[in-house]
Amino acid sequence: MDFEQIYKSYFQDVFLYLCSLSANEDVAEEVAQETFAKALKSIDRFDGTKDIRAWLFTIAKNTYYTFCKRQKIYANEEISENI
């Protein structure tokens, strides 16, 4: 299965999963795009013994958590500058 087919088959699932985590469609879209960029970089490490959807969901979850950490860091910087 080529990566374009993986993207077409699973983007909607990943996007909806991220919507459930973030409750924000814009954030879900951004993180979903980043998820597939990371998946493309590491597709050669996917061994195929597990469901590819579960693998993508794991990447999406970790990418979302990283996104949240970045947002928290930036939010703290803005608060301290205003004080």
Side-chain angles (χ1 to χ4, degrees), residues 13-22 27-28 30-36 38-39 52-70:
D13 291 340
V14 170
F15 173 74
L16 292 174
Y17 173 67
L18 290 165
C19 280
S20 73
L21 291 178
S22 69
V27 169
E30 182 178 339
V31 175
Q33 292 296 336
E34 193 173 339
T35 296
F36 279 92
K38 287 181 178 183
I52 194 161
R53 199 176 101 174
W55 180 68
L56 290 169
F57 281 7
T58 301
I59 296 170
K61 178 185 66 173
N62 292 333
T63 303
Y64 175 68
Y65 290 157
T66 301
F67 174 85
C68 290
K69 288 178 189 173
R70 281 194 313 249

Side-chain angles (χ1 to χ4, degrees), residues 42-53 55:
S42 60
I43 192 71
D44 58 325
R45 290 185 292 184
F46 178 69
D47 61 6
T49 59
K50 297 182 181 171
D51 181 28
I52 194 161
R53 199 176 101 174
W55 180 68

